[in-house]
Amino acid sequence: SNPSEDIQSFLIAGGLQPGTNTLSFPGAYGTGGLAGVNCFNCYIAGIGFALTSAPIMTNEPASVTNVYGSTVSFSAVPLGAPPMSYYWLSNGVPISPATLIAYATPSLSFVATNFSPSELVGSNYYANYQLIVSNFLGSVTSTVATLDVQIPPLGVTSAGVPIWNSSNNETNIVVYFSGAVDSVTATTRTNYTVSGGTGATVLTAALGSSPGEVILTTTLLTPGASYSLSVQNVNSSYGITMSPSPQMLSVGTYPALALWLKASTGTIPDGSGGVGQWNDQSGNGNNFMSAYGPGFDPVLATNSYGYPVVRFNGSNDDTLYANNEPSLQLTNNMTVFAVVNFATLAGNTNGEIISETDDNNLPAPYDYYANSSAVLLLRGTGSGTPGSVASAHDPSLDVPHILDVVMQGNNVTHRLDGSANGTGTMSTSISDAGQPIQIGTRADGANHLTGDLQELILVGSAMSPGDVVSMEGYLAGEYNLQIVPPVNANPTNIVVSLANSQMTLLWPADHIGWTLQAQTNNLAVGISTNWVNVSGSTDTNQVNVPINLTNGSVFYRLIYTP
């Protein structure tokens, strides 16, 4: 049976004083109930109102070290008679509340970016923080907590754009740095040297659309040749020279283009307001011609962003085709890029991009199009069931998009606007049916394109992930499109900070795209295989976790899947 209970409340009338306070509960306990077992429980409520002193600090704010761009957190534990007011100082100067996440509390939180290059000491920024707590009886100032912000070294993460223009004998190479760059040193062309192949000269260096992007224009690179790029003496936006300097990295082997169509060049009018021929810029002569003649052709128009486009109206007659030449007979690995704006995808029939199908209207060897739920790549021989891999998401309407797909072996990777858009595998035979290659309408007349095509690139090989990202950067810069910055695939550390029963996990911004995983185990078990993804972590570089003391040991890690 339960032991007897005698519940009584009490009031601390004299208040608590700074330092140690002792409460004594004299009493005698019998041996009734369970032999040898006696229970005593004391619950104290409203202790804050029992404090009658001027403020005191029981836990001072601690000094912290953070990386640039991370969230800084300071906290203290003051006690005293309420109400209490809190004022934070930075280098002895009161902090403006409007600039902070939290300011009128014993906790202070802000992002470590608000300082200038003139305040750096080497590659670090230092500041002192203090908390002033006051009430009607007095005030107390905390000890000084130091903030040390470390500026990560600038480096080159990738380079290479596998595209060239045989008409003007120039090549673009997009260079991605790990952070924002100084505009003067980053655009000094002599800081870049291209080697390999038959040699190349850097003609110009210009800032790209993102803070860490530089676009180089070089003399013509040779398809199929491998190149390297040396970068030196480029400073970060904080004036710190890149490390190492020089840094050598591979530009990669430039694949041979099978087809390159651009709305800004190579379109020939048909005499009735349409495009009668669209000439190939790859050098292969795979020119697309009108299927039905004047009056039935797509038109050359200017989109709402001011760029020329070839506009298709979704009819069977609105078709351009190219003869089946060896360079277009892609029966193995392949890569496709398209800058396209879909006016509609209704009925799953209005998103055709490029195809070669046989008399059975099956891919032989490829069919690439979008419908109202996904982007699809189909491969086959023209008979039986073709192989097919769909993307994870479909593109939105009335907005120019960069679509690309890579097939290497049996593996297919879709991307949309510079971001991963699903992967899959297909095991199927692939052969060429000898039929024309079409854009605007598939050969069976069932699939059309209703919308604008700005640029289309077909490559007869599987391009590397780095070259795909570079190509996306080139296209985004060319048409002023927004893409997701490239993900740094190199391992990094998680920075941990604690404040107010909350743990903040932070990693560098260029690692957005990595997934935070966690597992909770008994400490004696340690790390096991029961990892679970932390919801929403792939789209950020910071996760806040409440500290639950009832949990076992919690382990965290970052993983990245290209």
Side-chain angles (χ1 to χ4, degrees):
S1 62
N2 291 327
S4 62
E5 296 181 354
D6 182 11
I7 301 176
Q8 298 182 21
S9 62
F10 62 93
L11 174 67
I12 303 174
L16 300 179
Q17 300 302 315
T20 301
N21 291 260
T22 303
L23 299 179
S24 299
F25 298 92
Y29 307 98
T31 57
L34 298 177
V37 177
N38 298 286
C39 298
F40 175 80
N41 182 50
C42 178
Y43 174 71
I44 300 178
I47 188 171
F49 293 96
L51 299 172
T52 62
S53 67
I56 61 170
M57 291 285 183
T58 61
N59 287 86
E60 303 279 357
S63 298
V64 295
T65 298
N66 283 62
V67 296
Y68 175 82
S70 64
T71 299
V72 177
S73 295
F74 292 105
S75 64
V77 180
L79 294 177
M84 293 192 293
S85 299
Y86 309 96
Y87 301 93
W88 283 93
L89 306 178
S90 175
N91 293 330
V93 179
I95 297 175
S96 170
T99 64
L100 298 175
I101 301 171
Y103 60 93
T105 71
S107 299
L108 176 67
S109 180
F110 58 93
V111 178
T113 56
N114 191 23
F115 52 90
S116 68
S118 63
E119 297 177 283
L120 288 179
V121 178
S123 60
N124 293 61
Y125 166 79
Y126 299 97
N128 295 325
Y129 290 85
Q130 288 176 284
L131 173 64
I132 299 177
V133 183
S134 61
N135 63 10
F136 65 95
L137 292 172
S139 67
V140 64
T141 301
S142 74
T143 58
V144 173
T146 301
L147 168 64
D148 178 359
V149 178
Q150 299 177 338
I151 309 299
L154 181 70
V156 185
T157 58
S158 65
V161 162
I163 192 167
W164 50 93
N165 191 334
S166 57
S167 64
N168 63 11
N169 292 326
E170 291 181 356
T171 305
N172 286 114
I173 297 176
V174 177
V175 184
Y176 289 102
F177 291 86
S178 59
V181 294
D182 164 58
S183 60
V184 175
T185 56
T187 57
T188 302
R189 68 177 183 85
T190 53
N191 286 339
Y192 308 89
T193 304
V194 178
S195 58
T198 57
T201 301
V202 177
L203 304 174
T204 63
L207 298 179
S209 57
S210 63
E213 179 183 274
V214 176
I215 301 175
L216 306 180
T217 299
T218 77
T219 55
L220 184 65
L221 302 186
T222 304
S226 295
Y227 291 88
S228 297
L229 177 69
S230 175
V231 184
Q232 63 182 359
N233 300 330
V234 175
N235 296 341
S236 71
S237 58
Y238 282 96
I240 302 173
T241 304
M242 60 179 289
S243 179
S245 179
Q247 183 174 344
M248 181 73 72
L249 65 161
S250 173
V251 173
T253 301
Y254 281 76
L257 294 186
L259 174 68
W260 184 15
L261 300 177
K262 296 184 65 172
S264 60
T265 185
T267 57
I268 299 177
D270 63 6
S272 63
V275 176
Q277 185 169 316
W278 197 358
N279 288 337
D280 176 22
Q281 303 299 306
S282 73
N284 292 317
N286 292 319
N287 301 329
F288 276 70
M289 299 165 285
S290 169
Y292 297 101
F296 302 97
D297 296 328
V299 298
L300 183 64
T302 300
N303 66 11
S304 59
Y305 301 90
Y307 294 97
V309 298
V310 176
R311 182 163 293 164
F312 294 83
N313 64 18
S315 70
N316 287 348
D317 299 333
D318 210 11
T319 306
L320 298 176
Y321 78 93
N323 293 322
N324 186 286
E325 300 294 341
S327 57
L328 295 175
Q329 297 170 7
L330 308 182
T331 58
N332 204 323
N333 299 332
M334 67 181 300
T335 305
V336 186
F337 293 89
V339 181
V340 59
N341 184 342
F342 298 104
T344 180
L345 292 172
N348 293 335
T349 62
N350 291 276
E352 187 65 45
I353 298 174
I354 186 168
S355 64
E356 182 191 344
T357 60
D358 76 344
D359 294 336
N360 296 314
N361 296 318
L362 294 173
Y366 46 81
D367 187 7
Y368 185 51
Y369 66 93
N371 60 31
S372 59
S373 59
V375 184
L376 297 100
L377 177 67
L378 279 68
R379 306 298 305 270
T381 64
S383 61
T385 302
S388 175
V389 172
S391 70
H393 308 286
D394 63 319
S396 57
L397 302 179
D398 298 319
V399 176
H401 292 286
I402 301 175
L403 300 181
D404 54 80
V405 64
V406 178
M407 182 170 182
Q408 183 169 26
N410 296 331
N411 299 313
V412 175
T413 301
H414 286 278
R415 289 174 64 84
L416 171 63
D417 296 331
S419 180
N421 194 25
T423 61
T425 60
M426 66 169 78
S427 298
T428 185
S429 298
I430 302 173
S431 63
D432 185 84
Q435 298 295 317
I437 292 82
Q438 297 192 185
I439 57 176
T441 304
R442 198 169 62 188
D444 62 353
N447 272 13
H448 319 87
L449 174 59
T450 304
D452 301 338
L453 192 57
Q454 285 180 263
E455 192 153 344
L456 178 64
I457 298 171
L458 195 64
V459 182
S461 62
M463 288 171 46
S464 70
D467 281 345
V468 167
V469 169
S470 294
M471 175 68 84
E472 292 166 344
Y474 171 85
L475 295 172
E478 188 175 18
Y479 300 111
N480 195 27
L481 302 178
Q482 295 298 315
I483 63 172
V484 177
V487 178
N488 187 338
N490 297 316
T492 189
N493 294 322
I494 301 175
V495 178
V496 180
S497 59
L498 303 174
N500 297 329
S501 299
Q502 178 174 276
M503 178 172 63
T504 298
L505 304 174
L506 180 78
W507 51 98
D510 64 355
H511 282 67
I512 294 177
W514 288 61
T515 301
L516 183 68
Q517 291 187 327
Q519 60 173 272
T520 302
N521 297 325
N522 184 288
L523 188 59
V525 175
I527 298 178
S528 184
T529 59
N530 55 326
W531 293 103
V532 295
N533 293 341
V534 176
S535 178
S537 63
T538 306
D539 301 320
T540 184
N541 68 321
Q542 178 177 315
V543 170
N544 298 320
V545 182
I547 298 175
N548 186 348
L549 297 180
T550 64
N551 284 342
S553 298
V554 183
F555 302 90
Y556 292 93
R557 72 175 183 181
L558 286 171
I559 66 166
Y560 176 61
T561 303

